[in-house]
Amino acid sequence: MGVDVLLGLQWGDEGKGKIVDVLAPRYQVVARFQGGPNAGHTLEFDGIKHVLHQIPSGIFRADIRNIIGNGVVLDPVIFKKEADALSKYNLDLRGNLHISKKAALIIPSHRLLDAAYEREKGEHRIGSTLKGIGPAYADKVSRLGLRVGDVLSPGFRRKYEGLKASHEAILQFHRFEYDLAAAEAEFFACVDFMKEFHLVDSEYLINEALRTQQTILAEGAQGSLLDIDFGSYPYVTSSSTMAAGACTGLGVAPRHIAEVYGIFKAYCTRVGGGPFPTEQLNDIGEALRKEGNEYGATTGRPRRCGWLDLPALKYAMMINGVTRLVMMKADVLNGFDEIRVCTHYRLADGTVTEQLPHDLLEGTVEPVYQTFKGWKTDLKDVHHFGQLPEALARYVSFLEETLGLPINFLSTGPDRVATLQREAVLG
Ligand code: GDP
Ligand code: IMO
Ligand code: MG
């Protein structure tokens, strides 16, 4: 027994929310370990679609303890909105949700800083979700930030004013106009709301759960190619999105990490700026966007779309030590005559490589593709791997051979029931 980690192997939005929901009955604890309201995790069941930003995706199961870990950045305003939206479902949020006192707090001026920095970057902007993620993590690392536990201290208002003043100095330097008054009033009301929840030292909870042999799932946000160290820097988010992030983001020792579920789409998407070697700025990209409904769950922005990128996928599997693969959105490719997969990159000097070059940013890689015949079949009535249309079975076998791991789950639609599982592999 140990902590299983579930994370995205691409640029986010792989379908992590759906698979956490599918796997949740096997777990007693579900914990978010990084990211914040930049995440948008979609769950669909009983004809209802839910999008979670900060609350772990195990929240719909009554017997699961959900934890927002210390590695998360939490915005009390967005938290209250999420909690309010869930109130009609009769969930015991106050009983089942625990928030780490060490999680970093996003205050309203963090969002302003995000906007000011993005404006400054002009055409080189990251395409941030503008939720204040980068500035909140920067304050954490600069040892200036506020944490959830601070809201319980009598000195909270004073600490808040100090941090806000330092932000205002930066905003003035950037000549960024703002009006904080309304946002601040809302913020303090939402901080009071947050105090109604269990604010805890969650590392004790998790380690006690480990000691008592409970099953624990760590839910990643974003994706490996957005990781602060290994992603396409600087077009990344500001946290450690990889399996190692679950250790620092929850207070779990590396030896306790068990399975690592790596999730990828049967193709590729990205929101925001930055390199995307297999991007299709053509009818194919349009078709993927339309069929896959590729619009951001947090910002509504159209997602950039392209073919599956195996060098990038192998890289993500390597740095995360993936033990179980999950392929999402196979159904999106149902109508395609041909499906392409990038197997290698050709560099500017003609070298062909399977490795991700450091200067991916300069746009010097040309993808080398292998083409597969499409299956041109609806997957609605496919419930087992054995029922896959031949062309899809071939696509899956090729990926399994190339990636060196079986695909344990294959998702064929947004609903939790549209999920095929390889029983033989999982045991
Ligand atoms: P996350 O951030 O990784 O949780 O993913 P998002 O929720 O941002 O984006 C995934 C989107 O794809 C959501 O709208 C899901 O409802 C949807 N989705 C998940 N799995 C499938 C699938 O197998 N097929 C289709 N067509 N949609 C899916
Ligand atoms: P989930 O958990 C997809 C992207 C943004 C931007 C970059 C930095 O739903 O998969 P930030 O707001 O962190 O400063 O943005 O990262 N990004 C995501 N893209 N899915 C996400 O989360 C993302 N969270 C951030 O679009 O390019
Ligand atoms: Mg998402």
Side-chain angles (χ1 to χ4, degrees):
M1 203 111 13
V3 176
D4 291 347
V5 185
L6 180 146
L7 44 79
L9 296 176
Q10 294 165 320
W11 280 289
D13 301 330
E14 296 88 351
K16 299 175 290 294
K18 167 175 169 169
I19 297 300
V20 173
D21 176 53
V22 167
L23 293 178
R26 301 171 184 201
Y27 292 96
Q28 289 158 289
V29 177
V30 175
R32 276 278 304 270
F33 59 90
Q34 47 70 233
N38 49 351
H41 294 182
T42 313
L43 292 74
E44 218 173 298
F45 51 87
D46 302 338
I48 305 176
K49 178 171 156 173
H50 306 272
V51 181
L52 297 171
H53 301 286
Q54 303 186 117
I55 296 178
S57 301
I59 199 67
F60 293 99
R61 314 268 185 173
D63 44 359
I64 291 182
R65 180 179 288 181
N66 287 267
I67 297 178
I68 297 179
N70 57 278
V72 168
V73 284
L74 188 78
D75 184 333
V77 178
I78 297 177
F79 174 70
K80 179 165 188 304
K81 281 195 186 123
E82 256 186 283
D84 287 347
L86 291 174
S87 62
K88 60 174 178 265
Y89 298 109
N90 205 19
L91 309 173
D92 182 14
L93 235 54
R94 281 171 185 74
N96 289 346
L97 185 62
H98 294 71
I99 306 174
S100 168
K101 286 183 188 167
K102 296 186 177 69
L105 212 52
I106 299 178
I107 70 171
S109 42
H110 281 133
R111 287 198 297 272
L112 298 174
L113 287 177
D114 228 351
Y117 293 145
E118 282 285 77
R119 192 186 69 181
E120 202 74 6
K121 290 194 181 89
E123 61 171 303
H124 298 297
R125 67 183 173 278
I126 290 161
S128 165
T129 59
L130 300 179
K131 303 291 180 195
I133 307 295
Y137 274 120
D139 276 345
K140 167 179 171 172
V141 177
S142 304
R143 297 159 295 181
L144 294 169
L146 293 169
R147 308 203 288 184
V148 165
D150 288 327
V151 305
L152 302 173
S153 109
F156 177 60
R157 185 77 199 212
R158 181 180 43 77
K159 287 184 190 167
Y160 168 86
E161 292 297 338
L163 185 60
K164 183 181 81 171
S166 75
H167 292 168
E168 289 193 297
I170 302 170
L171 291 167
Q172 277 150 24
F173 173 80
H174 286 285
R175 298 199 169 78
F176 192 86
E177 285 179 22
Y178 60 91
D179 176 10
L180 264 175
E184 256 184 331
E186 188 184 21
F187 173 76
F188 282 104
C190 295
V191 163
D192 283 340
F193 173 78
M194 193 179 74
K195 285 188 201 163
E196 297 169 19
F197 289 77
H198 293 297
L199 307 185
V200 298
D201 290 311
S202 59
E203 59 276 30
Y204 281 111
L205 273 190
I206 301 248
N207 282 285
E208 181 58 13
L210 271 170
R211 197 186 63 77
T212 53
Q213 305 276 304
Q214 293 182 40
T215 45
I216 306 170
L217 182 64
E219 173 180 2
Q222 290 78 54
S224 303
L225 304 176
L226 289 170
D227 180 77
I228 184 70
D229 286 285
F230 298 102
S232 43
Y233 192 87
Y235 296 95
V236 294
T237 191
S238 300
S239 65
S240 179
T241 62
M242 32 185 309
C247 294
T248 55
L250 293 175
V252 167
R255 71 188 168 94
H256 290 309
I257 300 297
E259 303 293 344
V260 179
Y261 287 91
I263 306 205
F264 67 100
K265 289 182 196 181
Y267 50 98
C268 225
T269 64
R270 170 162 211 172
V271 209
F276 183 176
T278 60
E279 182 170 18
Q280 298 296 302
L281 295 164
N282 50 31
D283 291 352
I284 294 167
E286 283 296 330
L288 287 170
R289 187 172 308 114
K290 184 165 163 282
E291 291 304 316
N293 190 23
E294 294 295 357
Y295 295 88
T298 297
T299 58
R301 290 178 293 175
R303 295 176 182 146
R304 299 158 62 192
C305 297
W307 295 121
L308 188 60
D309 181 336
L310 292 184
L313 193 55
K314 285 181 184 172
Y315 179 76
M317 286 174 66
M318 175 183 77
I319 58 174
N320 287 299
V322 170
T323 61
R324 292 184 171 175
L325 280 173
V326 183
M327 185 166 93
M328 309 299 292
K329 300 189 106 162
D331 56 302
V332 173
L333 301 178
N334 285 352
F336 284 72
D337 294 325
E338 281 188 342
I339 290 153
R340 303 180 88 190
V341 179
C342 166
T343 56
H344 296 81
Y345 297 144
R346 185 172 290 110
L347 306 182
D349 65 2
T351 319
V352 173
T353 177
E354 271 193 277
Q355 293 201 354
L356 234 61
H358 168 256
D359 57 355
L360 200 57
L361 270 188
E362 310 305 322
T364 48
V365 310
E366 183 199 327
V368 177
Y369 289 107
Q370 187 162 333
T371 303
F372 291 80
K373 211 169 123 224
W375 41 94
K376 307 282 281 179
T377 316
D378 201 313
L379 301 178
K380 259 200 332 283
D381 298 322
V382 174
H383 304 295
H384 308 285
F385 272 75
Q387 297 173 321
L388 291 181
E390 201 188 319
L392 175 52
R394 260 204 305 276
Y395 186 66
V396 168
S397 297
F398 166 78
L399 293 178
E400 293 184 326
E401 256 166 57
T402 314
L403 300 171
L405 270 187
I407 291 176
N408 291 120
F409 289 95
L410 195 149
S411 174
T412 57
D415 195 282
R416 65 159 71 131
V417 297
T419 316
L420 280 55
Q421 182 183 342
R422 251 196 218 291
E423 293 290 350
V425 174
L426 278 176

